[in-house]
Amino acid sequence: MTDDFPAAPAGAARDPQTELLHPVTPVQPGFESFSVPTARASTVIFPDLASMRALDWRSDAQWRYGLHATPTSVALQQRIAAIEGGRYALLQPSGLSAISNVYFAFVKAGDDVLVPDNVYSPNREHGDWLAQDFGITVRYYDPMVGSGMAALLRPNTRLIWLEAPGSITMEVPDVPTITALARERGIVTALDNTYSAGLVFKPFEHGVDISVQALTKYQSGGSDVLMGATITADHDLYLAMKRARMRVGLGVSADDCSLVLRGLPSMQVRYRAHERSALAIAGWLKRRPEVAAVLHPAFEDCPGHAYWKRDFTGAGGLFSVVFDPRYTSAQIDAFVEGLELFALGWSWGGAHSIAMPYDIAAMRTAGTWPHRGVLVRFYIGLEHEADLRADIERSLTRHLR
């Protein structure tokens, strides 16, 4: 490395405004760091007209426009695909837009879609919207259907959604059985893999065609980024999603990509820390007299536990509790609001703990919810486990005694 940056080459003097727009001083080469550079761009500059005219949207070897890809977003896509065990990834501005990308890539008027009854609520709302306004049939199925999926398939079924486990009620489906049935009939399967962050469940090893992630969660880890991803190992499926993404105009900020890239190196360490505390607190709550059931995939009485044990290599910080039906919704609300270390909020995957009550019976259409008590979903953050347990204990004693 030299002591001085290279001097600007001699030439005709230009106005300072022009110099600001057309700098001639080259950047000193040889700089390296652990972080991926943040490449912000809307306009992508072509070296010549021939290169511009030779553009093919299917090629990943050509830079086209900042909306579609920058070096920063491509670096993140490659890392997300590697974590999932896939070959291709596309970034979207939220987890829900990643879900939308799948719908718009593979479903058209007259098609049939199957969605698990425990699906992430915005996915259900999206499906209902498509059914109401776009001539698509959307049917909801029992997430524990397993081989019974065969009886639900129709000639026009084009897409089957899965969620493993359900993001609120924690059922773990028999993913390999469902994906095998779909593959026999050429039906695309898409799985919301946000719970595992791609760390403890490898979807493509179990026959899944497309994995959807909300990078808003563990990948970011800071509760300050909105982003989603669709991942696949199949090139044709990738191109279908890439085309739909391009047509709808989905894109991500290079700065947001940088924030997620910054969070990835610590993701697995954080995930395991969340898991340890969540298992400890869930086990303690299971012994509490106020609690009717604890829904955690690692517990034997959680629906689909055998599938979790077979297909997963761990859990995260998320689980749910069904309280004894003798407590009213108002009492459970008071308990949740009485927590000091648990925030009220929809998202999770960051450092802070979260609790939220749900009326599950009102959210189901394909079957009867077996519990009568109010459900509260807990996300266990990185606070000290004993402090979180003491916080829950105080609010239980104050509001449910």
Side-chain angles (χ1 to χ4, degrees):
M1 181 175 179
T2 61
D3 293 333
D4 299 307
F5 286 102
R14 296 188 295 193
D15 187 90
Q17 177 64 26
T18 301
E19 291 289 355
L20 289 173
L21 292 172
H22 297 272
V24 293
T25 305
V27 175
Q28 178 79 347
F31 175 82
E32 291 186 41
S33 75
F34 290 116
S35 62
V36 176
T38 303
R40 304 179 185 88
S42 54
T43 299
V44 170
I45 300 171
F46 303 107
D48 49 57
L49 287 174
S51 300
M52 184 273 289
R53 289 168 179 154
L55 285 177
D56 183 348
W57 69 268
R58 293 165 293 190
S59 172
D60 289 333
Q62 298 169 307
W63 300 112
R64 300 174 61 245
Y65 190 61
L67 177 68
H68 307 308
T70 67
T72 311
S73 66
V74 169
L76 179 54
Q77 287 175 171
Q78 291 172 341
R79 296 186 190 190
I80 294 300
I83 292 168
E84 291 279 304
R87 294 183 61 195
Y88 311 97
L90 291 165
L91 303 177
Q92 291 85 15
S94 68
L96 179 57
S97 64
I99 290 169
S100 300
N101 193 183
V102 174
Y103 275 116
F104 289 126
F106 301 107
V107 179
K108 64 182 184 306
D111 287 345
D112 176 63
V113 180
L114 286 165
V115 179
D117 208 24
N118 62 349
V119 74
Y120 171 60
S121 293
N123 191 335
R124 178 184 287 269
E125 293 168 6
H126 195 132
D128 290 345
W129 171 55
L130 292 176
Q132 176 179 322
D133 293 347
F134 292 88
I136 294 163
T137 301
V138 178
R139 294 178 293 139
Y140 297 95
Y141 67 88
D142 182 341
M144 304 309 298
V145 67
S147 60
M149 176 62 73
L152 300 178
L153 302 180
R154 295 175 178 173
N156 64 332
T157 302
R158 297 289 179 265
L159 174 65
I160 299 174
W161 278 101
L162 302 100
E163 196 164 303
S167 63
I168 298 174
T169 48
M170 302 295 144
E171 301 96 335
V172 181
D174 186 355
V175 174
T177 293
I178 294 173
T179 58
L181 290 167
R183 189 150 293 187
E184 289 173 2
R185 296 159 174 81
I187 300 168
V188 174
T189 54
L191 180 137
D192 188 329
N193 199 29
T194 302
Y195 175 94
S196 91
L199 296 173
V200 298
F201 181 80
K202 300 300 181 182
F204 308 115
E205 295 177 6
H206 298 88
V208 173
D209 291 317
I210 299 161
S211 178
V212 173
Q213 285 279 359
L215 306 185
T216 305
K217 308 295 195 296
Y218 292 114
Q219 290 85 350
S220 162
S223 301
D224 57 359
V225 178
L226 290 167
M227 194 177 296
T230 51
I231 308 101
T232 185
D234 184 285
H235 189 250
D236 290 338
L237 298 180
Y238 166 67
L239 288 181
M241 290 188 291
K242 185 179 182 182
R243 180 173 53 206
R245 177 183 182 271
M246 177 179 64
R247 287 174 173 172
V248 176
L250 298 175
V252 294
S253 156
D255 294 281
D256 286 347
C257 289
S258 293
L259 289 174
V260 178
L261 283 163
R262 187 175 67 180
L264 289 183
S266 65
M267 179 171 70
Q268 183 157 251
V269 175
R270 290 183 282 106
Y271 192 91
R272 294 304 184 183
H274 292 297
E275 177 183 31
R276 287 191 296 272
S277 292
L279 278 168
I281 292 174
W284 169 70
L285 282 168
K286 196 174 179 65
R287 300 188 294 271
R288 298 285 309 193
E290 302 92 344
V291 172
V294 173
L295 305 175
H296 191 301
F299 292 173
E300 290 186 358
D301 55 351
C302 185
H305 166 76
Y307 304 136
W308 176 86
K309 190 172 181 180
R310 179 192 68 191
D311 299 336
F312 284 69
T313 58
L318 206 62
F319 67 91
S320 293
V321 168
V322 179
F323 284 89
D324 190 285
R326 70 179 182 270
Y327 301 115
T328 66
S329 295
Q331 287 177 293
I332 301 302
D333 285 353
F335 158 73
V336 172
E337 290 183 335
L339 296 167
E340 296 178 2
L341 298 179
F342 289 79
L344 294 172
W346 295 116
S347 196
W348 43 273
H352 297 83
S353 295
I354 294 172
M356 185 67 75
Y358 290 88
D359 180 7
I360 300 300
M363 300 166 64
R364 295 297 180 100
T365 59
T368 303
W369 175 241
H371 300 284
R372 293 190 297 116
V374 177
L375 180 145
V376 174
R377 186 179 70 178
F378 289 93
Y379 169 70
I380 305 303
L382 296 178
E383 299 92 346
H384 194 275
E385 183 238 310
D387 291 333
L388 294 175
R389 189 184 305 199
D391 187 30
I392 296 172
E393 172 81 48
R394 282 193 296 270
S395 197
L396 286 172
T397 301
R398 184 176 304 163
H399 299 290
L400 300 187
R401 290 287 175 87

